[in-house]
Amino acid sequence: MSPNETRKPANTQWGGRFTSGPSEVMERINASIGFDQRFFAQDISGSRAHARMLVEQGILSSEDGQAISDGLDTISREIEEGSFVFSAALEDIHMNVESRLRELVGDAAGRLHTARSRNDQVATDFRLWVRDEIDAVEIQLRGLQEALLDKAAAHADTIMPGFTHLQTAQPVTLGHHLLAYVEMFGRDRGRFADARARLNESPLGAGALAGTSFPIDRAATAAELGFDRPMANSLDAVSDRDFALEFLAATSIAMTHVSRFAEELVIWCSDGFRFVHLSDAYTTGSSMMPQKRNPDAAELSRAKTGRVFGALLGLLTVMKGLPLAYSKDMQEDKEPVFDAADSLALALAAITGMVSDMTADPENMRAAAGKGQPTATDLADWLVRAAGVPFRDAHAITGAVVSLAEERGVDLSTLSPADMQAIDPRISEDVFQVLSVEASVASRTSEGGTAPDNVRAAVDAARARYLGN
């Protein structure tokens, strides 16, 4: 039989208990091969480890063990080359692999499932897949941080408005703003690392739910698969999906950060701001309006967040009412995780690309930073420092000065000393040393502040903390 021919099982894989096959509807609702074939590599790795352990424990002959190993090598090559035919009638990746293995090596294939259930098999495969995905996400997040740090270093002195409520608040630097995202994505790396550490226990050997009477060595299979230890309770081993929920939770928070940054890019690229420019690589045009340059990569990255949130809520809903141990409901665990992982990977790639691609417009940023009386807080701080005014009083005095400036349609720095002294005689000409946006930014030297020297030092510290250089 050639690998391109569709294989049909001679009888249902459920065993002799059933005398007739499933209905077409049952086959369709029961089959998961359409999506769980994604972890074929993890399934084959788990089977290798299980077979080797069975041989070492004297449960499986060395001849059968070698035949199984050779057969799994062939199956792995066929899948990677695209010549393996997956059958929905065989339900899932486990039975598809086992059926092909039986074609290749005969009865030895049937002995592979000794002391193993699909329940502990799928739990093992899924943990291995999520663990691999976390390792891939770690690389992407690190790359995004590196891109942000490079851009922050280049713009340590580039002044822009800092906002609260999207209203001009105080001037900051673009480098300082980007460093905020370095910290957000650093926390994401920590969350994924924590999730990885918790999931790194092996369900293999838990059987269907109660363990097995065979003298297996669960510690050996756990070690071979890179797990820290076997899971302590067989019921928990087959029914736990906390690791998938944690992955989705960490992915949801990371996507929140992606979405926030994407939103900023959309705003910054708009005609009302023009803070940054994105090239043709990350923008599209309009079918009607030839002048348009739309930041679609940012908008689509922002939109992917909704899919990820939905995946988390969906799996939480599936799991919330399940009694121990395994229920078929749990087959619905994989598709949301796969979709969320794909969405995160694509969005991280897009955001990283846009960070490297974007070109800042310092003149527009500086002009915007001077609007809205952004140095009012500096005037209040000066009154506290230089004139000994209690801050609450200084706040009220500054409010009156701001009101006068707005009434005249000028900036604080263009009011005369006499104008200010008419409001409070303790204001001297020295106050003008702090009323420019440059002076305001330079004065924010407290730890974590926006002063350019701070930003440069923070970039170096973040490189050492997050990148190891």
Side-chain angles (χ1 to χ4, degrees):
M1 179 177 182
S2 75
N4 289 319
E5 294 176 25
T6 301
R7 293 190 302 278
K8 285 286 186 181
N11 60 293
T12 176
Q13 298 290 329
W14 302 337
R17 167 66 178 82
F18 293 87
T19 57
S20 63
S23 70
E24 180 185 355
V25 170
M26 182 61 201
E27 282 193 358
R28 289 177 60 192
I29 198 170
N30 194 47
S32 60
I33 190 60
F35 49 86
D36 69 12
Q37 61 184 265
R38 285 186 65 156
F39 48 58
F40 78 88
Q42 290 79 17
D43 190 73
I44 290 173
S45 294
S47 290
R48 289 187 200 282
H50 186 67
R52 189 172 290 113
M53 180 275 296
L54 292 177
V55 170
E56 291 173 354
Q57 293 299 107
I59 301 169
L60 187 68
S61 71
S62 58
E63 292 79 12
D64 281 347
Q66 187 60 54
I68 288 169
S69 179
D70 293 343
L72 290 173
D73 286 344
T74 299
I75 292 169
S76 182
R77 284 195 303 273
E78 290 177 353
I79 296 175
E80 289 172 354
E81 292 168 357
S83 61
F84 188 95
V85 178
F86 294 100
S87 169
L90 291 169
E91 298 182 16
D92 56 32
I93 184 62
H94 324 300
M95 288 305 184
N96 271 264
V97 169
E98 184 176 322
S99 177
R100 179 61 176 146
L101 188 62
R102 184 177 285 274
E103 291 175 0
L104 292 169
V105 306
D107 289 345
R111 299 187 181 101
L112 173 60
H113 210 55
T114 305
R116 186 175 71 170
S117 164
R118 279 194 292 179
N119 293 356
D120 62 334
Q121 188 177 0
V122 69
T124 302
D125 293 356
F126 201 13
R127 280 176 184 263
L128 290 172
W129 190 91
V130 171
R131 190 178 70 184
D132 290 344
E133 199 64 25
I134 288 174
D135 292 343
V137 170
E138 160 66 15
I139 293 170
Q140 281 197 285
L141 285 170
R142 188 184 189 279
L144 175 52
Q145 286 183 298
E146 187 168 13
L148 286 165
L149 285 166
D150 288 345
K151 196 68 72 172
H155 290 284
D157 297 282
T158 302
I159 292 174
M160 66 176 290
F163 299 102
T164 61
H165 310 279
L166 206 56
Q167 305 294 313
T168 299
Q170 294 175 275
V172 296
T173 68
L174 176 58
H176 188 63
H177 193 112
L178 296 176
L179 284 175
Y181 285 97
V182 172
E183 296 304 315
M184 292 184 206
F185 292 118
R187 291 192 294 274
D188 290 325
R189 288 176 66 184
R191 271 182 284 271
F192 281 111
D194 290 345
R196 191 191 194 283
R198 266 185 294 279
L199 74 78
N200 207 36
E201 295 182 342
S202 174
L204 194 57
L209 75 162
T212 178
S213 59
F214 288 95
I216 62 173
D217 185 349
R218 293 188 64 207
T221 53
E224 180 168 342
L225 293 170
F227 289 114
D228 295 329
R229 63 191 70 83
M231 294 186 73
N233 182 280
S234 61
L235 287 165
D236 181 49
V238 299
S239 65
D240 169 56
R241 291 298 183 271
D242 288 359
F243 67 93
L245 290 169
E246 275 202 81
F247 175 77
L248 289 176
T251 299
S252 294
I253 297 172
M255 283 298 294
T256 301
H257 298 151
V258 166
S259 184
R260 293 183 74 177
F261 188 71
E263 171 71 6
E264 303 229 63
L265 286 176
V266 171
I267 292 171
W268 292 352
C269 288
S270 69
D271 288 337
F273 282 75
R274 293 192 179 278
F275 286 180
V276 302
H277 172 87
L278 289 172
S279 76
D280 293 349
Y282 293 95
T283 57
T284 65
S286 166
S287 62
M288 177 180 285
M289 298 167 284
Q291 82 280 11
K292 294 293 293 298
R293 181 190 291 272
N294 303 320
D296 283 4
E299 292 174 3
L300 289 166
S301 297
R302 182 177 60 187
K304 293 284 185 188
T305 306
R307 297 175 65 134
V308 175
F309 289 179
L312 173 58
L313 183 58
L315 186 53
L316 283 167
T317 305
V318 167
M319 296 301 299
K320 73 173 182 62
L322 298 187
L324 295 179
Y326 182 83
S327 296
K328 195 68 171 182
D329 310 52
M330 293 164 68
Q331 184 168 290
E332 294 297 315
D333 58 358
K334 298 167 198 65
E335 287 182 284
V337 173
F338 292 159
D339 187 72
D342 291 345
S343 294
L344 176 62
L346 185 56
L348 287 176
I351 289 294
T352 302
M354 284 185 282
V355 169
S356 299
D357 179 77
M358 71 180 189
T359 302
D361 189 325
E363 289 186 9
N364 283 347
M365 287 186 170
R366 171 61 181 81
K371 297 177 181 177
Q373 313 300 352
T375 59
T377 304
D378 298 276
L379 171 56
D381 288 347
W382 182 89
L383 283 166
V384 172
R385 271 195 321 271
V389 179
F391 182 79
R392 286 301 175 197
D393 295 343
H395 187 283
I397 294 167
T398 300
V401 175
V402 167
S403 180
L404 176 62
E406 290 182 342
E407 185 179 304
R408 295 186 179 179
V410 299
D411 294 334
L412 291 179
S413 59
T414 60
L415 287 174
S416 70
D419 290 332
M420 293 191 185
Q421 288 167 354
I423 294 172
D424 193 289
R426 289 169 291 187
I427 300 175
S428 72
E429 293 189 16
D430 291 343
V431 74
F432 291 95
Q433 297 174 7
V434 303
L435 292 186
S436 71
V437 292
E438 289 77 11
S440 176
V441 166
S443 71
R444 307 298 171 187
T445 57
S446 60
E447 185 173 355
T450 191
D453 287 344
N454 279 37
V455 172
R456 282 182 275 271
V459 168
D460 292 341
R463 287 192 194 280
R465 188 164 75 254
Y466 293 123
L467 308 182
N469 55 29

